[in-house]
Amino acid sequence: MSASADAALPAGFDFGRRIRTFAAQFGRSRSEYRYAFVLLVLLFVVVLLYPIATVLLQSFLREGVFTLSNWTETLADPKFRTMLANSFTVSGLAALVASGIAFFAAYGLTFTNIDARVKKGVQLLLLLPLFLPSITYGFAVIYSFGRMGLVSQLFGRLPFSIYGFWGLLITDVVYALPPAFLVLYNAFRYVDRRFVIVSRVMGDKPWRTFWMTAVRPTLGAFVSAFVLSFFLAFTDFGIPVSIAGQYSVIATELYQTMMGAIPNFGTGAVIAISMLVPSAAAVWILKNAERLNFRYNQISEEPPMKNRLRDGLFLVYFGLITLVLLAIFAVIFVVPFVEFWPYKPNFTLEHVSEVLTDPTVWSYYGRSVGVALVSAAIGTAVAFAAGMIRARSDMPGWCRTTMDGIAMLTSTLPGMVLGVGYLFAFGGTPLQNTLAILVIANLVHFLATPYLMSTTALSKMNAGWETTGLLMGDSWFKSVRRIIVPNAKTTLIQMFETYFINAMVTISAIVFLTGTQTMVLTTRIKELQYFERFDAIFVLSLFIFFTNVAAKLLLDTLAKDRAPRSR
């Protein structure tokens, strides 16, 4: 080490001694955890870090020569700056609107005395978009609010064009609403409603009561919902490719640059790296947003205070949300059964029959379900193994932090950047144009949520179960199989469900990776867009929707049956 490098280190710092300490701590851990940790780190070096590194390297290469020209030309291009500004504008507004709608929806479901059946119906409706691919949202909005759309036919045309900014904004709000709602609804479940009574007794005005008992305790969750919504809208490809029109955004620009008639891989790599900027900001904001959350010693199960005016207003609010969502998504269930919308609104099964009798469709469907099942099985196993290292191992702290870092990186890595990275990293290898690469992409892309689910569940289990099993003569593997896994079956089923549904609807990453022999339903929908086969698009969307609904119902039933029962 040079003298200048030594001077930069703190006084008394011994790099070699620190490495030996880390190695000693690592060596004292159980061998099973050591092997699992090494295998997981090697796996994510290959399928996560290496592809990102190839994108970064490609951004500095032109005709095999290292250069900054890709960056200077792209950043100096007014079209790129306009496109980037468009992406930030529409994503920021969509995130703000979606988070606001989700906030009041979560508040109304928590702080009102509306009938429980109505609340359950609203929850299910708000989660409806999760079961459909995002590319379908744009087509649904066009068929609902376009010039000849369902809503336009009934109530008149909108005062603005649905193509471009406004259509993209509306669709992004719908797309971001379910995740934002889940974040905020979960936060409101842990808000103590007794503080509303305390605030009223102290003579606070209604707006101050609302601020102190609802807004302030969930401010961190609102920031998280906003960041999540922004990130989803900023990086999604399916919605802008279907409805953005001439309103250029970064996702469509990346696709056109990489997959156009004359691909420009250097510029595409620069655009892909640019999409990571919000990712880095998201990590920092989410880390600091946690400080805004309140902690209660206990949560009251007291029902909300009675207030008929409040309950009535929220019934109207829920009714408006219901009308808007049904107005958007109803066309998916109407257009496939109409002879020629809107000119011949006669009932027919011709479109459905045409799709069902096409043998290639069943190939796409079989691949979609197969890829989703394999992705869910392998992804659940990997996420659970990482969760075991994080929550139940005797590994040193830096090993557990490494698992957290990998999960955080996957949660903020845009799917399109991952797809471009795989295109560069694995192009020309045996993985190219295989279903295996789709499985690997799904494994990485959707790791974060199942990992968090596993760590939460495993950390709540008795820490001495494995030790007790060892004292009774069981091996570590036998203890995990007989004790840990049975007690985590509900969580494992939910992890599998999360992976499966996401793998069925995704398009952002795999749009760069599928070929003729590996096409799945979502990329087939993208292809049908060029032929304006919207009737077939909606039929395929219904395939995905009903498959996801059936999977959720089945897996939720299994999870409920497997849930541990208190004695």
Side-chain angles (χ1 to χ4, degrees):
M1 186 179 293
S2 65
S4 59
D6 286 335
L9 294 174
F13 184 88
D14 188 336
F15 186 77
R17 181 172 60 84
R18 183 62 62 87
I19 293 296
R20 289 192 294 273
T21 300
F22 284 164
Q25 292 173 341
F26 186 79
R28 287 194 295 268
S29 306
R30 289 195 59 86
S31 59
E32 294 88 352
Y33 286 122
R34 294 202 306 270
Y35 295 145
F37 177 81
V38 171
L39 287 175
L40 288 177
V41 169
L42 289 176
L43 171 66
F44 286 107
V45 166
V46 174
V47 301
L48 178 60
L49 298 183
Y50 173 60
I52 297 175
T54 60
V55 178
L56 181 61
L57 177 62
Q58 187 68 42
S59 70
F60 292 103
L61 293 179
R62 174 171 289 186
E63 298 180 355
V65 178
F66 190 87
T67 177
L68 294 175
S69 59
N70 292 328
W71 283 92
T72 55
E73 291 177 8
T74 303
L75 296 178
D77 185 359
K79 180 183 176 183
F80 173 78
R81 295 198 297 269
T82 300
M83 170 263 299
L84 198 60
N86 289 346
S87 295
F88 274 98
T89 300
V90 73
S91 301
L93 287 173
L96 185 61
V97 174
S99 300
I101 294 173
F103 175 86
F104 285 104
Y107 176 86
L109 293 175
T110 310
F111 278 79
T112 67
N113 291 302
I114 294 173
D115 188 276
R117 291 168 297 181
V118 175
K119 290 184 177 181
K120 186 65 175 178
V122 172
Q123 291 180 51
L124 293 175
L125 189 66
L126 286 170
L127 298 180
L128 171 67
L130 291 176
F131 301 109
L132 288 162
S134 61
I135 192 171
T136 305
Y137 298 7
F139 301 134
V141 169
I142 292 171
Y143 266 72
S144 294
F145 299 105
R147 186 171 59 88
M148 300 300 293
L150 179 63
V151 176
S152 300
Q153 293 290 307
L154 294 174
F155 302 103
R157 294 173 56 183
L158 295 174
F160 51 81
S161 173
I162 203 65
Y163 295 98
F165 172 80
W166 288 106
L168 189 56
L169 177 62
I170 293 171
T171 316
D172 277 341
V173 168
V174 174
Y175 176 52
L177 182 58
F181 168 74
L182 287 173
V183 171
L184 286 161
Y185 184 60
N186 184 67
F188 269 108
R189 290 171 60 191
Y190 295 96
V191 173
D192 195 332
R193 291 189 292 260
R194 290 177 300 182
F195 283 84
V196 176
I197 300 174
V198 173
S199 180
R200 294 289 179 86
V201 170
M202 294 179 66
D204 291 339
K205 294 181 178 179
W207 66 266
R208 179 170 176 78
T209 298
F210 177 70
W211 170 263
M212 295 302 297
T213 62
V215 177
R216 185 61 190 88
T218 60
L219 192 57
F222 184 87
V223 173
S224 298
F226 175 85
V227 172
L228 175 62
S229 300
F230 176 88
F231 187 76
L232 289 172
F234 187 85
T235 61
D236 180 67
F237 168 73
I239 291 173
V241 78
S242 60
I243 201 171
Q246 299 301 312
Y247 190 81
S248 179
V249 292
I250 195 167
T252 52
E253 186 69 18
L254 176 59
Y255 180 80
Q256 292 167 4
T257 303
M258 294 295 299
M259 307 297 285
I262 306 178
N264 188 331
F265 293 144
T267 301
V270 172
I271 297 174
I273 295 297
S274 300
M275 294 182 74
L276 294 177
V277 175
S279 302
V283 172
W284 182 85
I285 294 173
L286 290 173
K287 186 176 180 180
N288 288 275
E290 180 65 22
R291 302 175 184 177
L292 298 174
N293 290 327
F294 278 12
R295 298 288 187 273
Y296 295 101
N297 292 328
Q298 62 182 43
I299 306 300
S300 171
E301 297 296 332
E302 292 290 327
M305 294 181 63
K306 293 183 178 180
N307 188 322
R308 290 186 178 181
L309 176 61
R310 176 203 62 200
D311 294 351
L313 290 174
F314 271 100
L315 270 176
V316 173
Y317 181 68
F318 291 145
L320 290 174
I321 293 177
T322 300
L323 285 175
V324 172
L325 290 179
L326 290 180
I328 292 174
F329 290 108
V331 294
I332 300 176
F333 300 89
V334 172
V335 171
F337 304 101
V338 170
E339 185 175 346
F340 183 48
W341 179 267
Y343 304 105
K344 295 181 179 179
N346 306 315
F347 177 80
T348 180
L349 292 175
E350 180 182 350
H351 304 309
V352 177
S353 176
E354 182 180 354
V355 172
L356 294 179
T357 54
D358 183 355
T360 61
V361 167
W362 294 107
S363 298
Y364 304 142
Y365 181 74
R367 291 188 202 120
S368 294
V369 174
V371 168
L373 286 172
V374 176
S375 300
I378 299 176
T380 298
V382 170
F384 191 74
M388 286 287 292
I389 292 173
R390 176 65 180 85
R392 300 194 67 81
S393 76
D394 56 352
M395 302 287 284
W398 63 270
C399 293
R400 296 194 294 271
T401 302
T402 300
M403 294 295 102
D404 286 342
I406 290 172
M408 179 64 77
L409 182 57
T410 61
S411 70
T412 56
L413 180 66
M416 295 196 74
V417 177
L418 185 66
V420 171
Y422 279 25
L423 191 65
F424 289 145
F426 303 119
T429 71
L431 279 175
Q432 185 178 5
N433 291 327
T434 64
L435 296 178
I437 198 170
L438 304 185
V439 171
I440 296 171
N442 289 333
L443 160 68
V444 175
H445 194 194
F446 304 118
L447 174 74
T449 299
Y451 169 77
L452 292 175
M453 293 167 70
S454 69
T455 55
T456 301
L458 291 168
S459 63
K460 292 179 179 179
M461 295 180 188
N462 190 313
W465 279 348
E466 295 98 316
T467 303
T468 302
L470 292 173
L471 292 175
M472 296 178 66
D474 290 342
S475 66
W476 180 85
F477 283 108
K478 193 173 184 180
S479 297
V480 171
R481 180 175 60 83
R482 294 180 59 184
I483 303 173
I484 302 299
V485 172
N487 281 276
K489 275 188 176 178
T490 298
T491 300
L492 285 167
I493 292 171
Q494 292 171 343
M495 292 164 64
F496 186 94
E497 177 185 302
T498 300
Y499 256 117
F500 181 86
I501 292 175
N502 283 324
M504 282 295 296
V505 302
T506 187
I507 187 174
S508 294
I510 65 174
V511 71
F512 295 106
L513 306 176
T514 56
T516 305
Q517 300 302 316
T518 58
M519 186 172 291
V520 293
L521 285 179
T522 51
T523 51
R524 175 59 176 168
I525 289 173
K526 171 69 177 67
E527 186 179 66
L528 287 172
Q529 177 191 8
Y530 292 114
F531 303 102
E532 297 185 352
R533 291 286 312 282
F534 296 110
D535 50 356
I537 285 174
F538 288 144
V539 172
L540 296 184
S541 298
L542 289 177
F543 270 39
I544 296 173
F545 175 80
F546 287 119
T547 300
N548 281 336
V549 170
K552 182 170 178 58
L553 292 174
L554 174 62
L555 293 170
D556 282 352
T557 301
L558 290 174
K560 191 178 296 183
D561 291 341
R562 301 283 185 176
R565 293 172 173 81
S566 57
R567 298 180 179 178

